[in-house]
Amino acid sequence: QVQLVESGGGLAQAGGSLRLSCAASGIIVSIYTMGWYRQAPGKQRELVAATTSGGSTNYADAVKGRFTISRDNAKNTVYLQMNSLEPEDTGIYYCHASQYAMNYWGKGTAVTVSS
């Protein structure tokens, strides 16, 4: 009932920046958590950052100080500002949201960081 659409992925050089967006649509009553996961080639999907409707945030150690997650509750949109990108940040980034007991996933947006 909830659809998530990511945008903003692309190519960047090491040290550059990208901003990802994820917009939720459909039957939205009260989304509690929105966040970002990523999956690098040959790796498992991992949490990058997450935020609750109340404003609390959680970051993976690898991105602390470089990435910032933010959320516009009125637009049901979550953002991921990625600065000081590293080649290790390369992967498919997936938007995630939870509403009550349901979990929703976007189809992903590719991020490639060249060395």
Side-chain angles (χ1 to χ4, degrees), residues 12-85:
Q13 293 183 330
S17 299
L18 288 171
R19 192 190 193 206
L20 307 183
S21 299
C22 172
S25 62
I27 307 300
I28 299 173
V29 178
S30 182
I31 294 179
Y32 177 64
T33 302
M34 296 190 76
W36 294 91
Y37 290 71
R38 69 185 181 189
Q39 187 167 18
K43 303 290 186 179
Q44 295 183 335
R45 188 176 299 187
E46 63 178 357
L47 173 71
V48 177
T51 183
T52 69
S53 59
S56 64
T57 58
N58 184 45
Y59 294 92
D61 288 341
V63 307
K64 287 181 179 178
R66 300 189 297 118
F67 292 8
T68 302
I69 189 169
S70 60
R71 180 174 177 176
D72 187 335
N73 290 323
K75 296 182 178 179
N76 292 309
T77 300
V78 66
Y79 307 93
L80 185 67
Q81 179 66 46
M82 305 186 294
N83 298 326
S84 302
L85 285 165

Side-chain angles (χ1 to χ4, degrees), residues 80-102:
L80 185 67
Q81 179 66 46
M82 305 186 294
N83 298 326
S84 302
L85 285 165
E86 304 170 353
E88 292 76 16
D89 296 318
T90 294
I92 307 299
Y93 283 68
Y94 298 90
C95 182
H96 169 264
S98 65
Q99 178 171 252
Y100 301 113
M102 301 297 296

